[in-house]
Structures are given as structure tokens and as C-alpha cells.
Amino acid sequence: MAEPQDPMQDDQPLLVAEHLGKNYGRLTACRDVSFALYPGEVLAVVGESGSGKSTLLQLLSAQLAPSAGRVSYRMRDGVLRDLARLGEAERRFLFRTDWGYVHQDAAQGLRMAVSAGANVGERLMAVGWNHYGRIRDAASSWLERVEIDTARIDDAPRTYSGGMRQRLQIARNLVTEPRLVFMDEPTGGLDVSVQARLLDLMRNLVSELGLAAIVVTHDLAVARLLSHRVMVMKGGRVIETGLTDQVLDDPREPYTQLLVSSILPA
Amino acid sequence: MNAPAYNFAYLDEQTKRMIRRAILKAIAIPGYQVPFASREMPMPYGWGTGGVQVTAAILGPQDVLKVIDQGSDDTTNAISIRKFFGKTAGVATTTSTTDATVIQTRHRIPEAPLHAGQVLVYQVPIPEPLRFLEPRETETRRMHALGEYGLMHVKLYEDIARFGHIATSYAYPVKVNARYVMDPSPTPKFDNPKMDNCPALQLFGAGREKRIYAIPPHTDVVSLDFEDHPFTRYRFDAPCALCGAGDSYLDEIVTDDKGSRMFVCSDTDYCESRQLAGHRGSESAPPHKERAHG
Ligand SMILES: Nc1ncnc2c1ncn2[C@@H]1O[C@H](COP(=O)(O)OP(=O)(O)OP(=O)(O)O)[C@@H](O)[C@H]1O
Ligand SMILES: [Mg+2]
């Protein structure tokens, strides 16, 4: 049987950042960041606290307007578009269909007072699904995929543990089969054993779905486990970038060497 | 000469013009909530000052005013508002739905069909249908602007997940003119179909929240639902104990301390007109099972 032809050619970048910068008054939170992300690629952004990781992620996901440079994204029709030129409706549509955003604080990414089923179903309803039974089936199958007992489908995330909340956030984002997921410290604040399980799950989902992801973390173990490529940030600049194993096993920059040898506080 | 100390219908002409402009805008954009500079009225907010201001702005000397509260012309609230306009505008008042040119209402739409030329003014406590799930005003405004209404279905989803059916029975959300989602004020969902393609003009005033919205005559008004959980009207499955009506919205009244109940029309004018025309009910009906009507 012939494979269906993918309209997206994998040799074309999915997202392109060009000379991105962000100033807060005199403070430069992010400076001259350029890179391309390809479909299915996982990029980790590492660096110490205050190095500009979250700022960069917000710029890339068009939640923050850059002071300089631009971000382009290849839409599902194959056309590369400057995010700053998208209309608000288009941008918001992108955000709840083709993109996912996993927050460190689950309360920012979930509706804590509505049931898990509705949390997962919300994006489907937002794109016009109008059949309760089908929405519920989709929600329930996604809960299974992120290893949440489907008996908890009607419980609010308020009643969930930290690890469950993160997994629910992931299900809520993936239900529309996005091509790109942004994650800001997705394992932050979780117990080590809970972290390990979550990382394992994320790694499997990302490879099964062929997702591209940009993961901000100051935990190099997360970068090693999830990412193909790493960008090291310091003072708002990218000081080193390369394949994850290369950068972590054989860092060139003295700062990265310190980071890798855990001399710098994570 | 005994000139009253206030202007016709209490509000000064400047204020009435401002409110009329908001009303005209609301009519031009069916279902859209237009902000207006709500004024203090000589009554508490819970009394429907938004509706009162709308009525004050549209009332003319020739108008005939009816005021209902939960379908009744005779509650303290209804009587006070009727007296207020009788006194400040000197307009004729009535309890007859058919004879009225302006009907101010809280919680009901009359049973008698409305006709062209009439205006139904709703008193609205909370105009924002998305408020329940999204407390941020900036965000709900954006959702309306972009027609992002997935959240409304989240609310209905929650109902079904919790109760097995859409349990929302008051303030049941509607989509107006295939564009804006609107809160019809706390009317029972039984009344929702009456808003659709109605020959009368429907105006909604929220005093505390400073919003006016409208449904122009003959506008599409659709109650939101799911394909597999369609909107249903609801009334107690009983005839009115006083007039025998089988098609009206009923209130349940406890008649003694042994828990005896009877069901009577919530619309007192409708019930009395039917009784005058010779219709009779059982006067005291045994308790009936509740049932939804399609
Ligand atoms: N809204 C803002 N206003 C002013 N300064 C800001 C703002 N957001 C971030 N900054 C500053 O920009 C710099 C980069 O912050 P950012 O949050 O991107 O760092 P980070 O790498 O994500 O740090 P962490 O690991 O602690 O989350 C910091 O100096 C921070 O104080
Ligand atoms: Mg951060």
C-alpha cells in the first residue's frame, strides 16, 4: 500500500526565528536569536534562571511582541507566514489547533473548575465539534493515552495530583493533533519519580505523533531525554547550539561546561 | 401650577438620548452588548434599574405600559415600577399583554403572542453569558469579537457530564442572528423559542453591569445544544389548576402544610383572560411527575 503523500516536506522548516530580541526598558531579556525548527524536531532551551528562556518561548509562540526580529511559521497549507502579520483570529486559531502550550503551572493551562473531560474536549468544541458523545469518546481516549484512569473523566483537575495535572494539560493540547508544542519547564516542581514518568510519556507521545517541540528547561536531564537539539542561553543570547548529545557530552563554551558539570546552579 | 420636579419618565433628555443611542446601536448589532453610562435610579439595582432606564428612554406619552415580574403583574416589584412610570410619565398602564405597547419584564416572556409595534424590555442582572467560565472581561470581549464560543459548549458539556442532560433551565444561552451568543436574562428556557422570529422588538437592560443589547423584530434566535442532546423546552406536565391551560409555563404552589401542591400559570394575565373566557381548571391538582417537552 502506498503511503499517503505528506503535503509538508520535511526538508522545509516549520518555524523560523530571525534576529529575535526583546527589551524591557534598558534590560535586554532576549537578543539576536536565530534558528530554524523542522517538523518532528525537539529543541531544548537551557540556561540559568533569568537567562531569557521563557521570554524566548513567549516570543516564539507569539504571546509576546518582539522588540526586534521576527518569527515565521509554516501553516498547514504549506505557506510560511510572519506571525506578527497574522490577524488576531488567525493567531488564536493556530494556538488552539496546530499548536500546544504546556505551562509549568498547570493552573495556567487548565480550567481548574471544570471536569477533565471538558478540559480535553474544549479545543474540539472550539473548532465546532457538536456531538457530546463523540467529544467524550475523544476525551476519554486521550485520558487513556496520558495514563489517566478514565473513571476520573468527570473530576475537576483541582482533585488531581501534580503529575496528573501535567498529563491532563498534555492531553488537552494534543487532542487537536497539533504539529508544534511549546513547553515551559513541564516537569518543574514535580517529584523525581513523577518527573521520570512524565518524561517517559512525553518522549513516547512526541515520537509516536511526530511532534515538533520547543522545551524550556533548566534541567539538563530533561533536555537529554527529550530533545534532538539544544540551545544554551546566557544573558538573553544563545551562546551555544548543537545536537543534544554533542553539546552535553562535549560542550565548547566554558559556560556550557560549567552548566554541564553542575557547577552552576540549575 | 404644579410642575413635577423631574423630567418626563424621570430621566433628563440628555440621558435619554444617550440611552437611545446605545439602543439603536444594539438594534443594529443584534445580540451585541453595548456599554452605556448607567444612571442611578430611585430604586435598588436588584429591582431592574437597567430595564427601567431602557423603558424610560423609549416611553412616549401615548404608550401603554405593562410590567411583569415572574409573569405576574401584581408583585411588589411590578406594581412599584408601574406606579413609578404612571407618576413620572403619566402613561396609561395595563395588565393586558395584547393592549400594551411597552412591556417591561423580569424572568418571563408573556404567553400571549407579541405583535408588531410592541417592545419587550427585559431586566438583566448578568448580561455576559461567558462570565461563568471566563471571569476576565477583556477575554470575553475578545471571544465575542472573534466569535469564539467553544466555551459555551464547555458549560453545556459539564451539565450533561454531571446530570445526564443539559440541566441549565434559566438564562439558557442563545445565538442571535447567527453571530453573537447572548444571555436571555433569567427567563426559563421554556420561553426561549418565543424570542425566535418574534414580531416585537426585544430590548435588554443591565443596570449594574451597564450594558444594553437587543433582538430586532423577526431575528433568528437559536438555543445552543449538542446534536445528540438537542434543546428541549420544559414545563411541568400538568394543566393549570385555575384555567386548565396545557401550553403555559406553570408555577408550583404549595397549598397547605401537608405538602399539597397545585400548578398554576405563571403568566397571571394569560390565566385570568382564559378564566374570563370560561376556561376552568381542577382548582387543586394532585402532584404530577415532571417531564421534559420536546
Ligand atoms: N514582564 C517583564 N518585565 C520586565 N522584565 C522581565 C519581564 N519578564 C522577564 N523579565 C526579565 O527578563 C529576563 C529574562 O527572564 P525570563 O523569564 O525569560 O528568564 P528564564 O530564563 O525563563 O528564567 P527562569 O529559569 O527563572 O524561569 C530576566 O532578567 C527577567 O527579570
Ligand atoms: Mg522561565
Side-chain angles (χ1 to χ4, degrees), chain B residues 53-84:
Chain B
Q53 290 176 80
V54 169
T55 299
I58 63 169
L59 222 46
Q62 306 307 318
D63 273 312
V64 180
L65 178 69
K66 170 182 166 77
V67 181
I68 49 172
D69 177 11
Q70 308 268 12
S72 166
D73 295 89
D74 305 326
T75 70
T76 318
N77 188 312
I79 293 169
S80 304
I81 294 173
R82 203 161 56 230
K83 274 193 187 152
F84 174 77

Side-chain angles (χ1 to χ4, degrees), chain A residues 88-89 92 96 111 114-115 117-118 122 125-126 130-136 154, chain B residues 133-134 139 142-143 146 148 150-151 153-154 157-158 160-161 225-229:
Chain A
E88 193 182 18
R92 283 168 70 101
R96 57 169 195 260
R111 294 195 187 276
V114 313
S115 69
E122 180 172 347
M125 294 183 250
N130 195 29
H131 190 285
Y132 174 82
R134 287 203 270 277
I135 293 164
R136 195 169 172 82
D154 293 329
Chain B
L133 287 168
E134 181 50 76
E139 187 63 15
R142 196 169 293 142
M143 287 170 163
L146 300 174
E148 288 179 3
L151 210 50
H153 275 91
V154 168
Y157 174 102
E158 285 293 87
I160 303 171
D225 61 5
F226 288 105
E227 282 164 43
D228 51 341
H229 286 268

Side-chain angles (χ1 to χ4, degrees), chain B residues 163-175:
Chain B
F163 307 106
H165 62 277
I166 298 177
T168 300
S169 54
Y170 289 86
Y172 190 106
V174 293
K175 194 170 228 181

